[in-house]
Amino acid sequence: QLCIRDRHMTISDTFDGEIGRSMAEFSAEYMTHIEGHLDEDLTHVPDRIMRILRDLDGYVQGFAVSQLQHSLQTATMAERAGADPDIVVAALCHDIGKWISNANHPAIAAEMIRPWVSDKAYWIVKHHQDFQGRHYYARIGLDPEMRRKHVGHEYYEAAEQFVDEWDQAAFDPDYDTLPLDHFEPLVRETFSRPPKRG
């Protein structure tokens, strides 16, 4: 009997065939069974992203705004500047990696959103900290021009705009920030797309 328990579902006794003891031994029928559940699991990704974003409201790190408010401000500024929807989603989600680790949060966030957003949005999120360094790295003994290692990259100027105009400026408790509810339809549309592989 196969019994899988998860927050979203309980699957019990749904596969009667041969299972195998390792992935190398899984039958084609069992893999089809698993793939069906993985496809169903994808329908919960928008809810998970929304839950992570809401959780960031309790993550302040000494700033004048929470990480959720910072993310909402960044996304609000991007939207008001006419950024395409994937960049707005990137602005909203660029710091969700802090939910796990501050030290490598850009890489975590970038990989979390990669299957659903453009290559441009992915690259900006992955490298935004290198660009952010211009605004404070000198104060902590790091190279403030870390972004220069990316000179010549096709998304370099877009990353500069993302960080210099929106991200680094999005710590203002008095800014007219759009609420998470405003962005929820875009989040749900984006993370309901068929994910890219690889």
Side-chain angles (χ1 to χ4, degrees), residues 23-57:
M23 291 190 83
E25 297 175 353
F26 288 172
S27 68
E29 294 81 9
Y30 187 53
M31 282 304 301
T32 298
H33 167 80
I34 290 169
E35 286 166 7
H37 290 292
L38 293 176
D39 288 343
E40 194 278 337
D41 187 65
L42 284 172
T43 66
H44 302 290
V45 171
D47 290 332
R48 292 177 184 142
I49 296 293
M50 289 299 298
R51 187 161 55 244
I52 292 169
L53 287 166
R54 287 188 190 101
D55 283 350
L56 288 179
D57 202 27

Side-chain angles (χ1 to χ4, degrees), residues 6-23:
D6 175 272
R7 263 185 217 187
H8 303 291
M9 63 188 141
T10 300
I11 304 159
S12 181
D13 203 24
T14 58
F15 186 78
D16 289 332
E18 189 66 33
I19 292 177
R21 296 189 185 115
S22 68
M23 291 190 83

Side-chain angles (χ1 to χ4, degrees), residues 68-81 88 92 172 174-184:
L68 173 60
Q69 287 303 308
H70 167 65
S71 298
L72 289 170
Q73 277 189 37
T74 308
T76 298
M77 291 175 182
E79 183 175 280
R80 288 176 178 164
V88 174
L92 186 64
D172 181 357
D174 297 319
Y175 183 76
D176 178 24
T177 305
L178 292 168
L180 184 56
D181 288 351
H182 171 83
F183 295 103
E184 184 169 359

Side-chain angles (χ1 to χ4, degrees), residues 4-196:
I4 301 170
R5 297 194 183 277
D6 175 272
R7 263 185 217 187
H8 303 291
M9 63 188 141
T10 300
I11 304 159
S12 181
D13 203 24
T14 58
F15 186 78
D16 289 332
E18 189 66 33
I19 292 177
R21 296 189 185 115
S22 68
M23 291 190 83
E25 297 175 353
F26 288 172
S27 68
E29 294 81 9
Y30 187 53
M31 282 304 301
T32 298
H33 167 80
I34 290 169
E35 286 166 7
H37 290 292
L38 293 176
D39 288 343
E40 194 278 337
D41 187 65
L42 284 172
T43 66
H44 302 290
V45 171
D47 290 332
R48 292 177 184 142
I49 296 293
M50 289 299 298
R51 187 161 55 244
I52 292 169
L53 287 166
R54 287 188 190 101
D55 283 350
L56 288 179
D57 202 27
Y59 197 45
V60 180
Q61 297 181 301
F63 292 108
V65 298
S66 71
Q67 285 300 309
L68 173 60
Q69 287 303 308
H70 167 65
S71 298
L72 289 170
Q73 277 189 37
T74 308
T76 298
M77 291 175 182
E79 183 175 280
R80 288 176 178 164
D84 72 63
D86 277 15
I87 298 300
V88 174
V89 168
L92 186 64
C93 296
H94 75 284
D95 279 344
I96 60 175
K98 290 184 177 181
W99 196 58
I100 303 296
S101 164
N102 192 68
N104 61 338
H105 76 273
I108 295 169
E111 295 306 325
M112 288 173 74
I113 68 172
R114 184 178 195 173
W116 294 277
V117 299
S118 66
D119 290 344
K120 179 180 177 181
Y122 163 76
W123 193 88
I124 290 171
V125 172
K126 185 172 182 180
H127 299 288
H128 77 270
Q129 196 67 44
D130 291 342
F131 287 79
Q132 189 77 288
R134 177 173 288 176
H135 303 284
Y136 74 98
Y137 271 7
R139 283 173 271 168
I140 60 174
L142 296 174
D143 178 9
E145 292 303 314
M146 190 129 1
R147 67 175 65 186
R148 302 295 297 166
K149 68 184 178 182
H150 303 294
V151 167
H153 192 280
E154 63 179 314
Y155 303 135
Y156 184 89
E157 289 181 3
E160 283 196 312
Q161 180 185 32
F162 184 95
V163 169
D164 297 341
E165 295 182 20
W166 311 327
D167 186 15
Q168 72 87 24
F171 294 92
D172 181 357
D174 297 319
Y175 183 76
D176 178 24
T177 305
L178 292 168
L180 184 56
D181 288 351
H182 171 83
F183 295 103
E184 184 169 359
L186 179 59
V187 168
R188 292 194 176 281
E189 185 279 324
T190 301
F191 293 101
S192 293
R193 298 171 186 167
K196 294 175 285 190

